[in-house]
Amino acid sequence: MVAQTRTANTTQKKLSFNEKLVGKNLGTDALLKKLKALHTELAELDQEIVDVNSLSSVRTQLIHTSLLLHKERGVKAYVACCLADLLRLYAPDAPYTVTELRDIFQFFFRQLSAGLKSTESTYYNEYFHLLESLSVVKSVVLVCDLPNAEELMIEVFRDFFALVRRDLAKKIELFIADILIALIDECQSLPSEVLEVIMAQFMDKNARMDQPAYRLAVQICNTTADKLQRHVCQYFTDIIITNSRDLQSEGDFEEIRTAHELVKQLARSCPSLLHSVIPQLEEELRVEEVQVRLIVTQTLGEMFGDKGGSDLIRKYPSTWSVWLMRKGDKAAPVRLKLVESAKGLILNLPEHRETIEDVLRLKLLDPDDKVRTAVCKVYSQIDYETALHHVSTSQLRAVAGRGMDKKHTVRVEALNAIGKLYALAYPEIENGDTSAIEHFSWIPNQVFHIANVTLESKPAAEQVIADHIFPLPSLPNVASTSASKNIEVDEVAWTDRLLNVMQYLDDTAINAVLSMSGIKVNRPTAYEHFLQTCIQNNGGVIDENEEAVKRKLGNIIRHLSKHFPDPHKATEDLQAFAKANENRLYKLLKTCMDLQSDLKSIVKASNEFLRRVEQSHESILSTMTIVLRRCTLRILNQSSISPLLKRLQKSSSSSVASPVTKHVHQLLTYVSKHCPALYKAHIGELTKAIADEKNTTLVELGMQALAAVVRTDESLPSLDRRTVDRVMRYALGENARVTKFASRLLASLKGCHEQCKNIIESVAQRLPDAEPEVLVAHTALLVQMARFRSEAFEHRSDDIITFLVKKLLLSPSQDDGEDMDVDNDWVNDDDIPPILRARIQALKVCRNRCLAHASSPNAIDIATPALKMFTTLTQHSGSFKVDARDSPSIKSRMRLQAAISLLHLSTIEAYATVINPHFVWLAVTVQDPCYHVRMIFLTKLISLLSPRKLPPRFNTIPFLTVLDPEDDIRNRATAYVSLANRTLPPAARVEYLEMIFIRLLHLLAHHPDFSIAHENLQDMAKYVEFYLDQIMSSENISLLYHLAMKAKTVRDAESHTYSEHLYAMSELAQELIKARAQARSWALQSFPGKVKLPSDIFRPLPNPEAAVKILKTVYLPQETIEWLAEAAKPHKTAATTAAKEKRREAREARERSPQGAKRKASRLRVNGAAKRARPSARWNSDQSETAESSSDSEDHSEGESLPSERHTSPKTSKSGLSEDEGQDSSKEVTSAQEDTSKAGRAGRKARTRAKAKISRQIRKSVVRSKKS
C-alpha cells in the first residue's frame, strides 16, 4: 500500500487498543501479548479512514527507551512493526520529531540486520512485514530530510548489501532494492561512501548475476542511471587524478587499473552509467604516460569486444576511432594490448570485420615480434564457426605467411593457429562441405611449402603437421593389458585422411609430404645408428672399443643436432638420453623405427615413450619428441598398404584420372622405389592384385611392388608356377608400364634364367615387325633385361642393339617439317608419341647395358659406342646430325635422356674418365633453352650428387643456374648447395665444394658463351659471385683466393685460347674475392697449405719465362677492371637493397602473370660453332709446345695435404699438378712481381707473397724437367 494524502472522511475509525505498554511491573510475556495485539490492529487500519488522534497514546509509548532497548528480540520486532504501521497511517506527515525519526530508522535497520537471517529465523514474519512496509510505503525517504541523513544512508546501504548476501527470498531482495532506489531518488546529494558501497559490488571477484549483492547493485544502477551518471564520472575522475600525481612504480598504477576494471564491469551490466566516462577514457588514449595508455587500451578493447560492443561503438564512434589509432602507438606494449583484444572483436563485431582485419593484417607486419605473435595467437583461439563466417581466407593466408617469420615464437604461433583451424575444419572438408573446402583446404599446402623454405621454419611446420594435419590416431586409456590388446585402430580412416589432404596439394607440397614421410632415406637411418650406438655405449660402461664407441656416438649426435632448432640443446639432450641408458626406452624407440611395425604398435610405443621420457627426463622431452617424430613412419607405413590396395580394387581401370586414384598410384610407386620392405607383410595381397587383369592400374602397381620387394629381400619364398606364368604373359604384352615391371620382376626372381632367355629371344624376333605401341612395350622389357639379366640379354645383344640403333634411333623422324611447331619445345609424358617413347627406351637400353658391364674387363669397349652416341646428342641439341630437321619437342626429349644417361654412367669411374672431355657440353644442359630439360636434368643431377655418387667436378653444374629465368630452378640449386655446405663433413666439404672452385673457373672459361668482352665478363662474374655467396667464408677465403691465383700458373690442356679465357677468369675471381674480403673486413692471408691441381684439365707452363709473362699480363679489359673497382667501393648496402627490391618486383610480376607458363633460357650464343678470334696483342702461352716433357706424368702425382685444422686432405685423382712443378730463379719472379706492383697492385702483400711462392715452385719444376 502506497502512502496517500489524507482526505476528509466522516466515518473515521479509531484505534481501540488502550493498554499501557510502558510500566515497571509489566512482564515480557504480557508485553509481547499487548504488542502483538497492537500490531494486528494497526496493520488492519486503513490510512484513509483512521483517526490519527486515537493513535497518540501508542505513538508516544512506542518510542519509549524501555521498548526500543528492550532485551527481548520479540518485543523489539513487534515495536518496529508497530512504528512502521504508524508511519504508514500518518503519511505523508511524520508524527515524530527529527531526532525521534533518526532513532526510529536506526532502530529499524538494526532489527533488520540482526533478525532477518533466514526463513527459519524467529520473528521472520515480523521482519518481513517491516521491510515490506518500508518498501511499499516509502517511509524510508524521511531519512533524506534528517540532519544526519548522509551518515544514515551510508549505514543503510552497508547494512542492506550485507543483508542481501544471506541468500534470502527473492521478494526481500526486491524490497531492499526499492528502499535503496527510493533513497537515491530522494536524496539531495549522494554521499561518496554510498557510491563506493555500490561500486564495491562490481569489483568483487565473484561478481556475476547469480550473486544477490551484484544483482542488487545492477538493479539499483540501471534504475537510477540518470542520477548516478554524474556521480560515477566524478568517482572515476577522482581516482584517476588522485593516483596520477606521482606515478613511478608499477604499484602506483594499481588503483588506476582497478578503476578501469570497474568501468569494464559497469559496461557489461550498466552501460548507461558510463555516458560521461567513455569520453574521459577517450582522452586517456592520448596521454603521454605509457602505462595509462596501456590500461585504457586494454579496458576499451575488452569493452568493445564484449557482447554489447556494437552498441558501444554506435554510441561512441569517436572513441572507437581513437582506440583503433593505438595500432600505431609508439609503445609496443600498447599495440600488443590492442591486438590481444581482437578475439572478442572478431566474435562479437561481425559488422566491423573489414576494419578489424585491416588492423590485424597490419599488425602481422609489426616490428615487434610479440605483437606479431599475439596476432597469430588470436586466430588460434577462435572456433571453427567464427573462422568460417567472420574471418576471410585472405586473412588466414596472411597469418600463414608468418610461418616464415624470422622469429621462432611467431612461426610457432602462426603455424599452430592455422593448424588448429584445419583440424577443426577437417571433418567438414572430408564430408565435402564447399565452404569449408574453400576456406581451409589450402592450409596443408601452405604448411608444407613453409617446411621447405628454411631449416628454421621446418621444426615448427613438422610439429603442426604431426599434431593437426596428419595426427596419429588416439588410443583410449585402458587399465588392463588384455583390454588394450583388443583395442583397434582405424587404419582406413587414417589412410583416407592422407588421401583427402593430398587432393588439395600442389606438386611441391606432395613432394614435401613424401620427403617428410621418411620413406626415402638410406637405411639404416642416422637415428637407427644413434640407437644402436646408445646400446653399445651402455650408459658409458663399455667393455670393448670404448674410444671408438664414444667417438662414433659423438659424431652421430653432432650430425643429428645440426638439423634441430637449437643444436646446442639438442646435443646435450641426446647425450643425456644416451647416458640414461634405459632399455625400455630403447625398445620403444626401436619399435617406432621398425619398418614392419603397424600403426597400432607405433601409436602405443610412441605414447609410452613420450610418457616415460616426461616422467623421468622432462628436460629432454622437446628434443626427444622431434627425434621420435622424425624416425617414425607417421604419415605412411605398412598399415597403409592394404587400404591403398583396396582403394584400387574398388576402382576400375577407367577411373585412373580421379585425383584419389592418382594419389594412391603416387604413394604406392613411391614406396616401391624407396622402401619396398613395407610390402613384406602384403605379398599375398600383391599376388592377388596382379591376377585382376581387368584393373590395369592395380596390376601395374602390384607388379611394381612385387618386383621391388623381391629384389630387396632374397629371403622371400618363390612365387608359385601359376603366378610366374602370369608374369611372363604380362611381360610379352602391349602395356609398356605393366611390361616394364613384369620383366623387372621376372629378372629378379630366382631360377628364372631360362624364362628370361626365352622372352628375350621372342622379343628379338618380333622387333622388326612390331607396331609402334608394341615396340614401346618390347623396348621397355629390354631396358630391364639389359640391366638385371645381362647374361640373358647378351645372347641376342648384337641383333637387338643393331636394330635399336640403325632402325630406330638413326631412322629419320616421321614428323613433317612443314607442320613442325618450332615454339613447342616440349611434349608431356602422356602425349609422347609411341616412336619417340621407343627411341627414348632404346637410349635406356644402351645405358643399362653399359651399367651392367661396368665391372667387366671389356666395359670400355662395350660402352664406347653408347657414350659417343650420348655425347653426340648433347652436342647436336638432341639430334645425331647438326642439320637434322627433327621436331624441337623430340630433340628436347632426346638430349635430356642422353644427358641423364651420361650422368648415370659418370657414377662409374671408368666411364667418367671417358665422359670427362665432353663435360662442358653435359654441364650446359642445365642452361638448356627448354625449361623442362633444365629442371629434370638438375633434379636428376642433385639426386646423384646428394649421396656423392658423382665425381666432385659435377658440383660445379648447379652454379650455372644463377642466370636462369625461373626461380624454382635457381632455388632448387641453391637449396642443394646450401644443404651440402651445411651437412658435409669437413674433408668432404673441401673436396666437393671448395676444391672445385678451380674447376668452376675452367668450366666458365670453356663455356660456349664466353668472350673477353666486358658485357660477357659481367655475366661470368655473376657465376663466380653465386659460388662465393654460397661457399665462401672467413675460414676458406684464403684457399679460394689461392686457387684463383693458381689458375695463372698453369695452361689449359686443350688450347691457348682457353688458357687466356682461364687467365681472365682467374683475375676476375681474384678481384671479386678481394672485394668481398674488404666489404666483410676479412683478413686475406696467404694460404699455408699446398694443393694439387687436376691434371685432366691443366698442363704445366713450358718454362719460367712463360710464367713471368703470364703474371705480368693483365687479361681483363680495362672497362671490366674499372667496373670491378667501382663495385668494390663501400656501397654494398645500397646494392643489396636494390637487389632485394628488384627481386621483390620480379616476384610480384610473376604473381600477377598467368600460372604455369615457364620462360625459356637464352640459347647458347656459340653452341659448338667457332669461338671469337682472340686479339693479336695477347701473348701466346703455347709458344714452346715442344717444351712439354715426359716429366708431367712423374711430377703431377706429387701432391701435399692441406692443413688438418680446417681443410683436411681431400680425395684427389691419381695424377695432379703440384705447386712444386716448374720453379725457376727467384730473381726473375721477384722482378716480375715488382712490375706487377707498379701496374696498380701495390699494397696487396698477401697476393704478392703468394705469387712469389708460386713462381719459385714453377722454377723448380722446369729445372727438374730439363735435367730429365
Side-chain angles (χ1 to χ4, degrees):
M1 179 192 296
V2 179
Q4 298 176 0
T5 304
R6 193 177 310 278
T7 59
N9 196 323
T10 57
T11 58
Q12 290 184 336
K13 188 173 182 181
K14 296 183 179 182
L15 178 68
S16 61
F17 182 86
N18 57 4
E19 297 186 35
K20 294 289 184 179
L21 297 175
V22 179
K24 292 184 179 181
N25 297 322
L26 192 61
T28 301
D29 293 338
L31 181 58
L32 275 173
K33 187 176 180 181
K34 292 179 180 182
L35 287 171
K36 187 174 181 181
L38 176 61
H39 166 55
T40 303
E41 187 177 355
L42 289 173
E44 291 176 353
L45 288 175
D46 191 345
Q47 179 189 9
E48 296 297 321
I49 61 175
V50 66
D51 183 1
V52 293
N53 294 323
S54 65
L55 304 177
S56 301
S57 176
V58 295
R59 172 177 64 80
T60 306
Q61 293 181 76
L62 284 173
I63 61 170
H64 195 277
T65 308
S66 62
L67 294 179
L68 295 178
L69 300 178
H70 201 283
K71 62 181 180 179
E72 174 59 36
R73 289 177 57 196
V75 172
K76 290 186 285 189
Y78 279 110
V79 168
C81 290
C82 292
L83 286 171
D85 288 334
L86 286 176
L87 290 175
R88 173 176 64 82
L89 294 172
Y90 274 100
D93 300 319
Y96 298 107
T97 65
V98 171
T99 305
E100 291 171 340
L101 283 173
R102 181 197 64 191
D103 294 337
I104 290 171
F105 280 111
Q106 286 178 341
F107 175 70
F108 283 166
F109 300 140
R110 283 199 303 270
Q111 299 313 302
L112 290 172
S113 299
L116 198 59
K117 295 181 179 179
S118 69
T119 55
E120 304 299 325
S121 301
T122 310
Y123 305 111
Y124 173 79
N125 292 331
E126 284 67 34
Y127 294 130
F128 184 89
H129 175 82
L130 171 62
L131 192 64
E132 182 182 20
S133 177
L134 292 173
S135 171
V136 174
V137 180
K138 298 291 189 298
S139 57
V140 73
V141 300
L142 295 172
V143 170
C144 300
D145 298 327
L146 301 179
N148 61 339
E150 290 190 1
E151 296 177 7
L152 199 53
M153 281 186 66
I154 294 169
E155 183 180 348
V156 171
F157 273 84
R158 285 176 180 168
D159 290 346
F160 275 15
F161 271 105
L163 180 64
V164 82
R165 293 178 185 274
R166 296 175 183 175
D167 198 17
L168 301 172
K170 183 69 176 176
K171 277 191 174 182
I172 292 179
E173 183 182 325
L174 295 176
F175 292 156
I176 293 175
D178 288 341
I179 293 170
L180 298 183
I181 290 170
L183 285 172
I184 293 176
D185 286 340
E186 292 297 326
C187 70
Q188 296 299 320
S189 63
L190 186 70
S192 60
E193 289 86 349
V194 169
L195 190 61
E196 288 176 2
V197 171
I198 299 174
M199 296 295 104
Q201 313 312 313
F202 294 95
M203 299 307 298
D204 193 331
K205 292 181 179 179
N206 298 319
R208 54 183 186 272
M209 288 306 291
D210 61 346
Q211 297 294 326
Y214 177 75
R215 194 163 55 237
L216 175 61
V218 170
Q219 186 178 353
I220 292 171
C221 290
N222 284 328
T223 308
T224 62
D226 292 342
K227 189 157 188 178
L228 288 183
Q229 280 178 5
R230 178 174 56 83
H231 297 284
V232 170
C233 180
Q234 186 62 44
Y235 173 79
F236 182 75
T237 304
D238 290 344
I239 293 176
I240 300 299
I241 294 175
T242 303
N243 293 278
S244 299
R245 291 170 182 163
D246 187 18
L247 297 174
Q248 294 180 354
S249 64
E250 180 65 26
D252 296 332
F253 293 94
E254 195 57 40
E255 288 295 327
I256 296 178
R257 190 173 286 107
T258 302
H260 286 81
E261 286 292 327
L262 172 61
V263 173
K264 282 192 298 186
Q265 288 289 349
L266 292 175
R268 292 191 185 101
S269 52
C270 314
S272 55
L273 281 183
L274 302 178
H275 180 72
S276 301
V277 175
I278 301 298
Q280 190 170 341
L281 295 179
E282 180 181 330
E283 291 304 316
E284 286 185 18
L285 289 171
R286 299 186 174 98
V287 301
E288 285 296 319
E289 180 58 54
V290 174
Q291 279 295 333
V292 174
R293 293 204 312 277
L294 191 68
I295 293 170
V296 73
T297 301
Q298 178 181 0
T299 301
L300 282 172
E302 294 180 13
M303 289 166 61
F304 289 135
D306 214 339
K307 291 182 179 179
S310 296
D311 294 333
L312 199 63
I313 294 173
R314 194 160 44 251
K315 291 179 182 177
Y316 309 101
S318 65
T319 305
W320 167 249
S321 300
V322 174
W323 182 80
L324 287 176
M325 290 172 61
R326 290 305 96 206
K327 67 180 182 289
D329 197 285
K330 60 184 178 181
V334 176
R335 304 197 301 272
L336 180 62
K337 287 300 179 184
L338 182 139
V339 167
E340 289 174 346
S341 309
K343 179 186 175 183
L345 303 180
I346 295 172
L347 289 172
N348 299 311
L349 300 177
E351 65 273 22
H352 296 279
R353 189 184 82 174
E354 292 185 4
T355 302
I356 298 165
E357 286 196 350
D358 289 343
V359 171
L360 293 180
R361 189 179 295 115
L362 179 65
K363 292 299 94 186
L364 281 171
L365 305 175
D366 194 274
D368 191 279
D369 61 287
K370 292 180 181 177
V371 177
R372 302 197 301 274
T373 302
V375 177
C376 298
K377 196 169 184 178
V378 166
Y379 289 97
S380 71
Q381 297 170 341
I382 60 178
D383 57 70
Y384 167 73
E385 291 295 334
T386 302
L388 179 65
H389 299 295
H390 302 311
V391 181
S392 65
T393 306
S394 61
Q395 187 76 351
L396 292 179
R397 288 185 180 274
V399 174
R402 288 299 91 207
M404 294 182 287
D405 197 278
K406 62 182 179 180
K407 292 291 185 179
H408 175 70
T409 53
V410 183
R411 295 195 297 268
V412 169
E413 283 296 341
L415 292 172
N416 192 48
I418 60 173
K420 281 184 177 180
L421 290 175
Y422 181 79
L424 294 173
Y426 176 75
E428 303 302 324
I429 295 173
E430 187 180 27
N431 292 333
D433 187 316
T434 53
S435 298
I437 291 172
E438 180 182 351
H439 220 67
F440 303 104
S441 64
W442 56 271
I443 289 176
N445 192 73
Q446 185 77 0
V447 173
F448 282 110
H449 277 267
I450 290 171
N452 272 353
V453 173
T454 61
L455 181 65
E456 291 75 19
S457 62
K458 190 171 184 179
E462 284 180 344
Q463 185 67 48
V464 169
I465 291 166
D467 292 345
H468 303 299
I469 297 177
F470 294 131
L472 287 176
S474 57
L475 291 176
N477 294 325
V478 179
S480 63
T481 307
S482 59
S484 65
K485 291 181 180 178
N486 297 327
I487 296 174
E488 294 300 327
V489 173
D490 193 345
E491 297 175 348
V492 175
W494 177 70
T495 306
D496 285 348
R497 179 158 186 151
L498 171 60
L499 296 173
N500 288 331
V501 171
M502 290 180 69
Q503 289 187 67
Y504 307 102
L505 302 183
D506 58 22
D507 291 342
T508 303
I510 288 177
N511 289 335
V513 171
L514 297 176
S515 175
M516 206 172 289
S517 67
I519 298 296
K520 186 182 178 181
V521 292
N522 295 325
R523 301 191 185 277
T525 66
Y527 292 102
E528 289 173 321
H529 281 299
F530 170 68
L531 178 59
Q532 186 59 38
T533 311
C534 286
I535 296 173
Q536 294 173 358
N537 184 63
N538 194 30
V541 182
I542 308 170
D543 296 332
E544 297 179 358
N545 302 321
E546 180 176 354
E547 290 300 323
V549 171
K550 288 184 176 180
R551 183 168 59 253
K552 181 180 179 182
L553 180 62
N555 290 337
I556 294 174
I557 289 176
R558 277 192 296 274
H559 171 72
L560 292 177
S561 63
K562 292 178 182 177
H563 304 279
F564 282 73
D566 186 348
H568 179 69
K569 184 180 186 303
T571 300
E572 293 180 346
D573 291 349
L574 293 174
Q575 288 171 344
F577 178 78
K579 187 177 181 181
N581 195 36
E582 294 189 21
N583 290 328
R584 181 59 182 168
L585 292 179
Y586 292 161
K587 185 177 180 180
L588 292 170
L589 198 56
K590 190 172 184 180
T591 301
C592 294
M593 294 179 182
D594 190 357
L595 295 178
Q596 301 308 316
S597 294
D598 61 7
L599 179 61
K600 180 179 176 181
S601 300
I602 290 174
V603 172
K604 290 175 64 178
S606 297
N607 292 345
E608 184 180 350
F609 179 86
L610 293 176
R611 186 175 66 252
R612 285 178 175 269
V613 170
E614 184 176 13
Q615 290 171 352
S616 56
H617 313 285
E618 188 175 1
S619 61
I620 68 172
L621 179 62
S622 59
T623 299
M624 296 315 298
T625 301
I626 297 176
V627 169
L628 183 67
R629 189 170 64 234
R630 291 180 176 177
C631 73
T632 306
L633 298 184
R634 302 173 54 95
I635 298 176
L636 186 65
N637 57 42
Q638 71 108 347
S639 292
S640 310
I641 304 302
S642 291
L644 292 175
L645 289 174
K646 288 176 183 176
R647 277 272 192 169
L648 289 179
Q649 289 169 356
K650 292 178 183 177
S651 62
S652 63
S653 58
S654 61
S655 65
V656 175
S658 71
V660 173
T661 306
K662 282 185 176 181
H663 294 136
V664 172
H665 191 290
Q666 197 169 13
L667 292 172
L668 291 175
T669 300
Y670 194 75
V671 173
S672 299
K673 285 183 177 181
H674 304 296
C675 193
L678 295 183
Y679 292 125
K680 189 174 181 179
H682 305 279
I683 298 296
E685 292 178 76
L686 294 173
T687 304
K688 183 180 177 181
I690 65 173
D692 187 1
E693 298 185 10
K694 294 181 180 180
N695 195 333
T696 310
T697 304
L698 181 61
V699 171
E700 174 195 328
L701 291 171
M703 202 74 72
Q704 183 182 13
L706 278 174
V709 72
V710 167
R711 278 193 57 77
T712 56
D713 194 342
E714 298 180 357
S715 65
L716 293 175
S718 302
L719 300 179
D720 60 89
R721 181 68 186 173
R722 185 177 178 182
T723 303
V724 173
D725 291 342
R726 183 179 291 113
V727 173
M728 289 184 65
R729 191 164 63 253
Y730 282 133
L732 290 173
E734 297 182 4
N735 187 309
R737 294 283 297 174
V738 175
T739 298
K740 171 184 177 180
F741 299 120
S743 55
R744 182 183 295 176
L745 174 58
L746 199 62
S748 304
L749 290 172
K750 298 177 183 176
C752 290
H753 179 74
E754 286 302 320
Q755 288 93 329
C756 293
K757 188 175 178 182
N758 294 336
I759 284 181
I760 292 173
E761 182 70 32
S762 175
V763 168
Q765 294 174 4
R766 297 182 186 184
L767 282 177
D769 303 320
E771 292 295 323
E773 291 289 349
V774 179
L775 186 60
V776 174
H778 288 344
T779 51
L781 179 145
L782 294 174
V783 170
Q784 303 302 315
M785 291 298 174
R787 182 70 181 92
F788 303 116
R789 285 285 183 174
S790 58
E791 66 280 3
F793 180 83
E794 288 304 319
H795 284 287
R796 295 297 302 273
S797 62
D798 291 342
D799 297 335
I800 293 172
I801 295 298
T802 299
F803 172 81
L804 294 178
V805 174
K806 294 185 178 180
K807 301 296 183 180
L808 186 57
L809 289 172
L810 294 179
S811 62
S813 174
Q814 297 179 1
D815 290 342
D816 189 349
E818 295 181 1
D819 296 335
M820 252 191 317
D821 185 0
V822 295
D823 293 328
N824 186 14
D825 60 357
W826 185 253
V827 56
N828 293 325
D829 292 346
D830 296 336
D831 301 326
I832 298 177
I835 289 297
L836 175 57
R837 198 180 296 275
R839 294 175 73 182
I840 293 172
Q841 298 280 20
L843 293 178
K844 292 181 179 180
V845 171
C846 297
R847 179 198 70 193
N848 282 357
R849 185 173 180 236
C850 297
L851 292 173
H853 291 85
S855 58
S856 65
N858 58 341
I860 297 299
D861 295 335
I862 294 174
T864 298
L867 293 174
K868 184 177 180 181
M869 178 173 60
F870 295 145
T871 54
T872 300
L873 286 171
T874 56
Q875 293 176 10
H876 294 166
S877 300
S879 300
F880 290 100
K881 298 179 181 179
V882 178
D883 56 350
R885 302 193 61 210
D886 294 334
S887 166
S889 59
I890 292 178
K891 293 168 70 174
S892 295
R893 280 285 182 176
M894 292 295 286
R895 68 176 177 268
L896 172 62
Q897 186 56 52
I900 290 176
S901 297
L902 288 174
L903 287 180
H904 280 288
L905 294 174
S906 295
T907 61
I908 310 300
E909 185 177 358
Y911 298 155
T913 304
V914 179
I915 295 170
N916 193 41
H918 310 284
F919 177 74
V920 174
W921 285 108
L922 178 59
V924 295
T925 304
V926 82
Q927 296 180 321
D928 194 275
C930 176
Y931 164 80
H932 296 88
V933 173
R934 303 196 306 274
M935 177 55 82
I936 297 173
F937 175 79
L938 179 63
T939 303
K940 178 58 68 174
L941 172 71
I942 291 174
S943 70
L944 294 173
L945 284 175
S946 296
R948 287 185 270 172
K949 292 182 179 180
L950 288 168
R953 63 175 170 269
F954 282 83
N955 275 300
T956 58
I957 299 178
F959 296 104
L960 298 183
T961 62
V962 66
L963 298 180
D964 198 283
E966 294 297 332
D967 282 347
D968 49 356
I969 292 180
R970 294 195 306 273
N971 293 341
R972 181 165 295 190
T974 304
Y976 160 71
V977 174
S978 176
L979 179 65
N981 192 37
R982 192 171 60 248
T983 58
L984 282 176
R989 185 163 57 247
V990 172
E991 180 183 5
Y992 281 85
L993 294 178
E994 296 175 5
M995 289 298 298
I996 65 166
F997 186 46
I998 190 76
R999 285 190 176 274
L1000 176 63
L1001 299 180
H1002 176 270
L1003 173 60
L1004 296 175
H1006 282 252
H1007 196 285
D1009 289 350
F1010 187 91
S1011 73
I1012 298 294
H1014 172 63
E1015 294 76 10
N1016 180 271
L1017 288 173
Q1018 285 180 308
D1019 286 342
M1020 294 296 118
K1022 292 178 182 177
Y1023 294 115
V1024 178
E1025 287 179 326
F1026 181 41
Y1027 174 88
L1028 297 177
D1029 286 338
Q1030 301 299 320
I1031 305 301
M1032 192 176 78
S1033 66
S1034 59
E1035 297 177 348
N1036 64 18
I1037 185 171
S1038 298
L1039 171 63
L1040 300 182
Y1041 188 71
H1042 184 68
L1043 291 172
M1045 287 196 303
K1046 288 208 67 174
K1048 289 190 73 172
T1049 67
V1050 291
R1051 60 188 178 88
D1052 191 274
E1054 195 167 328
S1055 73
H1056 158 66
T1057 301
Y1058 287 130
S1059 294
E1060 293 193 336
H1061 292 179
L1062 178 66
Y1063 302 151
M1065 287 305 306
S1066 170
E1067 294 176 359
L1068 181 63
Q1070 290 177 60
E1071 294 300 325
L1072 291 173
I1073 292 173
K1074 285 190 294 184
R1076 284 170 178 262
Q1078 181 180 357
R1080 295 182 170 104
S1081 301
W1082 288 348
L1084 187 55
Q1085 300 176 351
S1086 177
F1087 182 66
K1090 296 181 180 180
V1091 296
K1092 187 187 290 184
L1093 298 185
S1095 61
D1096 57 330
I1097 56 176
F1098 297 128
R1099 296 288 181 270
L1101 293 173
N1103 51 55
E1105 292 79 10
V1108 173
K1109 188 72 174 178
I1110 291 169
L1111 288 173
K1112 293 173 64 176
T1113 305
V1114 178
Y1115 291 86
L1116 288 177
Q1118 184 61 33
E1119 186 179 2
T1120 303
I1121 294 173
E1122 293 174 357
W1123 172 70
L1124 288 169
E1126 182 65 24
K1129 291 181 179 179
H1131 36 253
K1132 180 175 177 60
T1133 301
T1136 304
T1137 304
K1140 287 182 178 179
E1141 183 65 21
K1142 186 176 180 181
R1143 287 195 297 270
R1144 184 186 64 78
E1145 292 173 357
R1147 183 169 63 252
E1148 291 176 352
R1150 282 194 303 276
E1151 290 172 354
R1152 291 192 296 269
S1153 66
Q1155 295 295 314
K1158 296 296 180 182
R1159 291 171 283 172
K1160 296 182 180 181
S1162 57
R1163 293 185 176 271
L1164 302 177
R1165 291 193 290 273
V1166 180
N1167 206 15
K1171 308 295 186 291
R1172 298 183 185 179
R1174 309 304 305 143
S1176 57
R1178 298 285 185 242
W1179 178 78
N1180 187 356
S1181 61
D1182 289 338
Q1183 60 182 345
S1184 303
E1185 293 288 344
T1186 56
E1188 241 182 272
S1189 65
S1190 60
S1191 64
D1192 290 348
S1193 60
E1194 299 171 4
D1195 295 336
H1196 293 174
S1197 62
E1198 299 175 15
E1200 297 184 14
S1201 64
L1202 298 175
S1204 58
E1205 298 146 7
R1206 167 67 180 83
H1207 302 290
T1208 51
S1209 183
K1211 296 178 183 178
T1212 54
S1213 57
K1214 292 183 180 179
S1215 60
L1217 294 179
S1218 169
E1219 290 186 346
D1220 294 332
E1221 298 173 353
Q1223 297 179 351
D1224 207 312
S1225 75
S1226 59
K1227 292 182 180 179
E1228 293 180 359
V1229 175
T1230 303
S1231 175
Q1233 288 168 339
E1234 290 174 355
D1235 293 340
T1236 304
S1237 178
K1238 292 176 182 179
R1241 292 185 169 87
R1244 298 167 184 173
K1245 297 180 180 179
R1247 182 177 180 187
T1248 304
R1249 289 196 299 271
K1251 285 188 176 182
K1253 186 175 182 180
I1254 293 169
S1255 298
R1256 288 195 298 273
Q1257 291 166 343
I1258 293 173
R1259 183 191 63 183
K1260 287 183 182 179
S1261 179
V1262 174
V1263 170
R1264 285 199 300 271
S1265 176
K1266 289 180 178 179
K1267 289 180 180 178
S1268 62

